[in-house]
Every structure is written in C-alpha cells, then in structure tokens.
Amino acid sequence: MKPKSQSKRSIEKLLHKALLEDGPMAQALYEFEFGDRIDELKRSLAQDNEDYLMAITENRGDIAMILIEQSGTIHSNEQAREKLKQLWPMPNYRKNLERFIPEFAKELANGELSITGVSVVKG
C-alpha cells in the first residue's frame, strides 16, 4: 500500500481533468507504478477471464493509467484513454467514468492503486 496522497475530492478533480477533459498524464509515474506490475496485471486479467483491465494511479497531482487487453496489448496514459474511448463509445465513456471516478478517487486517496477488470457482455 502506498502512502496517502491527496484528498478524495482533489483526486476526483484530477481524474476528471485527465479522463474527461483529455488532460495530460505522467509517463514517469506510469513507469514507476506499472513498470514492474505489468506481468502481475496480465496474470490477474487472465485468471479473472476479463476482456480488459485498467488501472489508474495518482501521485502529487499527476495521473497515470494502463489498459491491458486480453490479447496482451498494453496501452499507457493518453493511449489508454483513447483505447477506452473506443471500447466505451460516447456517451458511454462519459457516463461510465462519471460513475467510476468517485470509486477510483476513494481507492487512490486510501493509498491503493485503482484496478478494474472489465468483461464485455455480448448481446
């Protein structure tokens, strides 16, 4: 568990800016947080038999994100956000993130990574 960073409310604002307003994300934070965790995240994705996994982190006002597809393809930061927009076409992207951001912020404010696995329901 990482040390607490900022308040839930301030993290929500940072996530909103990064994810809904196409704000910048930090490559150094991505490498620090996810660099040695990629294999672990891939294993989790495979074990849970999900279609993709996304994880978000925050540190000192910076945001970083990873999205891993079932195929093993990895997307980082802005590329992860763009891939998520493809997976959740508008208006679903905005609706889903408005629902998820408070939970992401809560986990991050508690010093945890926010990791979400997603299974696509085939209709």
Coordinates of all heavy atoms in Angstrom, one line a residue, residues 1-3 110-112:
M1 N 0.8 -1.2 0.0 CA 0.0 0.0 0.0 C 0.9 1.2 0.0 O 1.8 1.3 0.7 CB -0.9 0.0 1.3 CG -1.9 1.0 1.3 SD -3.4 0.4 2.2 CE -3.5 1.6 3.4
K2 N 0.6 2.2 -0.9 CA 1.3 3.4 -0.9 C 0.8 4.4 0.1 O -0.3 4.3 0.5 CB 1.4 4.0 -2.3 CG 0.3 3.7 -3.2 CD 0.5 4.2 -4.6 CE -0.4 5.4 -4.8 NZ -0.6 6.0 -6.0
P3 N 1.6 5.4 0.4 CA 1.1 6.4 1.4 C 0.0 7.2 0.8 O -0.1 7.4 -0.4 CB 2.4 7.3 1.6 CG 3.3 7.0 0.5 CD 3.0 5.6 0.0
N110 N -7.0 6.4 -0.4 CA -6.6 5.4 0.6 C -5.2 4.8 0.4 O -4.8 3.8 1.1 CB -7.6 4.3 0.7 CG -8.9 4.8 1.4 OD1 -8.9 5.7 2.2 ND2 -10.0 4.2 1.0
G111 N -4.5 5.3 -0.6 CA -3.1 4.8 -0.9 C -3.1 3.5 -1.7 O -2.0 2.9 -1.8
E112 N -4.2 3.2 -2.4 CA -4.2 2.0 -3.2 C -4.2 2.3 -4.7 O -4.6 3.4 -5.0 CB -5.5 1.2 -2.9 CG -5.7 0.8 -1.5 CD -7.1 0.4 -1.2 OE1 -7.9 0.0 -2.1 OE2 -7.5 0.3 0.0

